[in-house]
Amino acid sequence: MALRNPVLHGSKRASQAAIPRFAAAPTTCLRLPQLYKKDLHGRSMATVVPPVTQDATSSKGPTALVFMNMGGPSTTDEVGSFLSRLFADGDLIPLGRLQGYIGPLISRRRTPKIQKQYAAIGGGSPIRKWSEYQSAEMCKILDKMSPETAPHKPYVAFRYADPLTEEMYTRLLEDGFGGGRGGRAVAFTQYPQYSCSTTGSSLNELWKWRNRLEGKRGTGEAEAEGSITWSVIDRWPVHPGLVEAFALNVEAQLATYSEKKRNDVVLLFSAHSLPMSVVNRGDTYPAEVAATVYAVMQRLGFSNPYRLCWQSQVGPSAWLGAQTSDTVQHYVEQGQTDLILIPIAFTSDHIETLFELDQEVIHEAGHPGVKRAESLNGSPVFIQALAEIAYAHLRSGESCSRQMGLRCQGCKSERCLEQKKFFVGQSNLLSV
């Protein structure tokens, strides 16, 4: 069994009307700003945003929008600390009672190899640059869409790399949120499909640092007056804007094939896999990824044959399959050499796309007909969708989705239970 995860690698026809076409973004969103054009020449994608304080308010603002994601090392020197945090997380990589012993051993052993892989994609992960760019541009749109909750302040909180959740929370307090001054913050997961191992882990970390900095441990009070009111955008797998952004990238890649071949190209949607122990516990991720795939195919009019496959498996235990690498190899061996890989669970490029798919899977396929659709990255359609998702959430008055309050059937984690209670309970503090 091939172990492809560049981070975890060892020595490695329904009605079209059901999913409406995404409305065109406003003219101001269709032109990428000069900042993004500079990105193509290797310059920074981060937009500098001045601090927002509680003195700069509209009727319900300011509002903090916190993008949560796994993160990635921005330089090869950060790989070691990134892997150490990753293997210490039992939500993502459950190692049982030996987590604190085995995790550091694995991370130290794999650091040199993973450093070479990050060097091969330019010296580090671009996920921070894309996250900062996406969040800043979304907030600019949101300021116009929802002036009553403006100004909207973008933050990024990564689970395993800088800026970490505790760094983000400290910045919130420094910028005038919480600390007796109140304020509203939205934790916006950048995993469109919910999993306890990804979004759930990030929320556990956010809840932990909220308790340390604003809860009883930090203030001596169970519910300190003037602390931040939190809500969560915890999943958005079939939002029309997300679907449209994916579909446009697929159509662009299909257009590179001759008209004779185009309708026979196989679309391979690839998502990060999960251990079957997590799946069998009742994690909703496989169903939500499949929902995204089906919605994209509806938008494409089911123009091509397609399959969903799973990448980045590691270790001897059973993982959700079929594996992306094996899928590509088998189709090529059968003579199906026109394939498009579509990273359906990622909102920007990182090592799983730039190295695992581009430099391993596609390279080893050895055929020019095997290609990859672009990642969402700076797509103006995608960024407009992010703004619409946030806008609808702010208007809803809800602290999270109904799904988030329901535990997985086999969940026995008390931390998960208490975290869910906290975020569901924040609805009592929200007003529409």
Side-chain angles (χ1 to χ4, degrees):
M1 178 181 293
L3 305 180
R4 295 284 179 172
N5 190 336
V7 171
L8 306 181
H9 202 311
S11 300
K12 228 192 169 200
R13 212 161 285 213
S15 169
Q16 178 71 21
I19 300 293
R21 287 185 65 92
F22 185 59
T27 303
T28 54
C29 301
L30 291 176
R31 292 179 63 248
L32 285 176
Q34 186 65 32
L35 179 60
Y36 175 60
K37 293 178 181 176
K38 290 181 179 180
D39 296 341
L40 304 180
H41 299 287
R43 288 181 277 271
S44 174
M45 291 175 281
T47 300
V48 178
V49 180
V52 174
T53 68
Q54 292 293 340
D55 295 328
T57 62
S58 53
S59 61
K60 297 181 181 179
T63 306
L65 275 296
V66 180
F67 271 31
M68 299 188 308
N69 211 329
M70 175 183 291
S74 296
T75 68
T76 55
D77 290 339
E78 297 174 13
V79 170
S81 58
F82 170 76
L83 292 178
S84 295
R85 297 184 189 106
L86 188 146
F87 282 102
D89 183 10
D91 292 324
L92 181 70
I93 304 174
L95 299 174
R97 290 176 294 179
L98 297 178
Q99 189 97 34
Y101 174 74
I102 297 177
L105 290 178
I106 298 174
S107 63
R108 285 196 297 270
R109 186 185 68 190
R110 297 185 179 180
T111 293
K113 181 172 185 176
I114 304 307
Q115 284 178 321
K116 293 179 182 178
Q117 293 177 351
Y118 275 103
I121 64 169
S125 171
I127 192 171
R128 179 173 184 171
K129 294 179 180 180
W130 280 124
S131 297
E132 290 177 344
Y133 175 78
Q134 291 166 342
S135 61
E137 295 305 305
M138 178 200 71
C139 283
K140 291 177 184 178
I141 300 172
L142 203 54
D143 282 346
K144 298 177 182 178
M145 295 176 67
S146 182
E148 66 274 15
T149 55
H152 301 90
K153 169 74 172 177
Y155 296 84
V156 172
F158 286 152
R159 185 65 181 85
Y160 313 113
D162 294 333
L164 296 166
T165 303
E166 57 265 41
E167 297 172 30
M168 176 279 300
Y169 216 116
T170 300
R171 280 192 57 210
L172 278 175
L173 297 174
E174 291 173 349
D175 286 353
F177 292 92
R181 294 157 294 192
R184 171 78 184 276
V186 178
F188 192 166
T189 180
Q190 291 306 292
Y191 305 101
Q193 305 92 3
Y194 183 92
S195 174
C196 295
S197 62
T198 53
T199 297
S201 177
S202 289
L203 290 175
N204 285 339
E205 189 75 356
L206 175 59
W207 175 69
K208 179 184 79 175
W209 283 101
R210 186 268 176 192
N211 288 340
R212 289 186 180 183
L213 298 176
E214 290 201 285
K216 187 173 183 178
R217 181 171 174 178
T219 66
E221 302 176 50
E223 289 298 331
E225 185 176 352
S227 59
I228 296 170
T229 299
W230 282 95
S231 63
V232 181
I233 301 173
D234 51 90
R235 69 198 75 207
W236 34 287
V238 293
H239 186 274
L242 175 71
V243 172
E244 181 70 7
F246 277 130
L248 289 173
N249 285 354
V250 173
E251 289 175 332
Q253 192 61 277
L254 280 171
T256 65
Y257 295 85
S258 68
E259 188 172 352
K260 181 180 179 180
K261 292 184 175 182
R262 193 170 301 151
N263 288 343
D264 294 323
V265 175
V266 174
L267 306 182
L268 296 180
F269 294 88
S270 184
H272 201 294
S273 188
L274 284 180
M276 287 306 298
S277 60
V278 176
V279 175
N280 291 336
R281 191 174 64 209
D283 199 284
T284 62
Y285 175 75
E288 295 188 14
V289 172
T292 307
V293 170
Y294 194 81
V296 172
M297 290 310 303
Q298 279 188 311
R299 157 61 181 81
L300 294 171
F302 296 95
S303 59
N304 294 74
Y306 69 99
R307 286 293 185 272
L308 170 58
C309 45
W310 307 88
Q311 65 182 89
S312 309
Q313 298 90 329
V314 63
S317 62
W319 283 65
L320 186 63
Q323 295 187 43
T324 301
S325 56
D326 291 345
T327 299
V328 171
Q329 180 182 349
H330 292 159
Y331 277 131
V332 170
E333 289 174 353
Q334 295 166 15
Q336 177 62 57
T337 56
D338 292 326
L339 309 166
I340 296 179
L341 291 164
I342 304 153
I344 197 64
F346 307 123
T347 58
S348 69
D349 274 322
H350 46 76
I351 198 166
E352 281 84 355
T353 59
L354 298 175
F355 187 86
E356 183 178 359
L357 293 183
D358 291 354
Q359 298 190 34
E360 287 192 326
V361 175
I362 294 178
H363 174 74
E364 291 176 12
H367 197 283
V370 181
K371 306 178 183 182
R372 176 172 71 86
E374 288 293 324
S375 298
L376 298 177
N377 292 339
S379 162
V381 173
F382 174 62
I383 293 170
Q384 177 72 20
L386 293 174
E388 294 196 356
I389 293 166
Y391 176 71
H393 175 76
L394 290 170
R395 289 178 60 84
S396 73
E398 298 176 350
S399 61
C400 60
S401 72
R402 296 297 299 275
Q403 276 286 74
M404 187 177 143
L406 181 65
R407 300 176 75 186
C408 293
Q409 300 93 308
C411 179
K412 297 179 181 179
S413 169
E414 289 300 313
R415 179 178 57 174
C416 176
L417 174 61
E418 294 304 316
Q419 171 254 111
K420 287 179 179 292
K421 285 182 179 178
F422 170 76
F423 287 112
V424 171
Q426 291 286 284
S427 61
N428 297 325
L429 306 177
L430 298 174
S431 59
V432 180

